[in-house]
Amino acid sequence: MHTVTLSGTDQHFPVGKIVCLGRNYHDHIRELGNELPERAVLFMKPASSIIGNGETVVIPGYSHDCHHEVELALLIGRGGKHIAEAAARDVIAGYGVAIDLTLRDIQQELKQKGLPWDIAKGFDTACPLSDFVPAATVADAQNLQLTLSVNGIVRQDATTALMIRSIPRIIAEISAIFTLEPGDIILTGTPAGVGPVVSGDRMTATIAGVGTLDIGVR
Ligand code: MG
């Protein structure tokens, strides 16, 4: 079982499901040539895909195109079904930094065939995750700078203000489908600048005021 920690507290959460949002930043939709979705594009990663700061992503042998996607992660502290947007902030225990590793070649192939993407998104090590900072320490989660560099070169640099669906909207939409439970994690989508990493690379993902992830690639 995987557990995440709320920094500066004695609270630990066994991780339940990790619900991820796709296509939540215009520039990223454009760079992949995707359409703006009417309904939220949702998928899940298993808790077994989590690794922590300082650990290493292992690219599976069935892919030759593994992409980084830096994302703001939400830790659910209080569960619920049909959570209203106005109440959404009350269910967030903390914020963290995540990298949604994606096997782009496998994802494209499966999408074209109309098949599920799980093996492109949920493989072991596909979800590097920082410790979480308590929600109360983040003044405005909808205005945070997120960056990701590979070997010291900045690839992604944007702000959470550019999200298409706001954080409360994301929680409302997800909880209308999946009951949220304490220890669930939500990945809120990635801005533009996604690209490949290869064995030997080093990724540094930072969200100002939230944390940093330093992750190797093998
Ligand atoms: Mg993503």
Side-chain angles (χ1 to χ4, degrees):
M1 174 158 301
H2 216 98
T3 300
V4 293
T5 303
L6 252 193
S7 305
T9 75
D10 55 4
Q11 285 183 278
H12 303 278
F13 293 80
V15 178
K17 54 190 170 295
I18 306 170
V19 186
C20 310
L21 191 59
R23 306 186 198 174
N24 201 29
Y25 289 81
H26 286 290
D27 288 353
H28 173 63
I29 294 173
R30 251 175 251 127
E31 73 183 346
L32 291 187
N34 283 323
E35 281 171 22
L36 182 65
E38 234 170 86
R39 198 186 275 175
V41 175
L42 301 176
F43 60 92
M44 293 202 209
K45 288 176 185 268
S48 53
S49 66
I50 294 174
I51 56 172
N53 187 31
E55 295 194 72
T56 300
V57 168
V58 182
I59 302 173
Y62 54 85
S63 171
H64 301 285
D65 193 22
C66 180
H67 278 201
H68 57 77
E69 300 186 352
V70 63
E71 310 202 3
L72 176 68
L74 317 177
L75 173 63
I76 300 300
R78 217 169 70 203
K81 174 92 176 165
H82 292 296
I83 298 163
E85 284 190 42
R89 292 196 190 277
D90 303 338
V91 308
I92 302 172
Y95 297 99
V97 185
I99 307 175
D100 169 15
L101 271 307
T102 304
L103 305 177
R104 197 70 71 198
D105 49 354
I106 303 299
Q107 185 195 32
Q108 285 303 115
E109 184 188 319
L110 294 168
K111 263 160 78 174
Q112 277 164 10
K113 291 179 180 165
L115 294 170
W117 310 339
D118 301 49
I119 66 166
K121 290 280 200 179
F123 59 92
D124 289 354
T125 74
C127 191
L129 202 56
S130 71
D131 281 348
F132 285 78
V133 296
T137 67
V138 176
D140 184 2
Q142 211 67 74
N143 190 21
L144 298 171
Q145 200 69 25
L146 6 67
T147 60
L148 184 141
S149 60
V150 179
N151 305 326
I153 296 167
V154 176
R155 297 259 192 98
Q156 295 186 271
D157 185 6
T159 151
T160 56
L162 296 172
M163 282 184 192
I164 296 170
R165 285 176 160 80
S166 67
I167 293 166
R169 172 109 186 262
I170 292 169
I171 288 177
E173 281 193 43
I174 289 177
S175 69
I177 301 169
F178 306 111
T179 294
L180 289 174
E181 299 172 305
D184 286 347
I185 290 168
I186 295 173
L187 267 51
T188 54
T190 197
V194 303
V197 286
V198 296
S199 181
D201 281 348
R202 185 122 223 123
M203 299 179 281
T204 307
T206 302
I207 300 179
V210 173
T212 293
L213 267 178
D214 189 26
I215 298 289
V217 181
R218 176 147 53 91

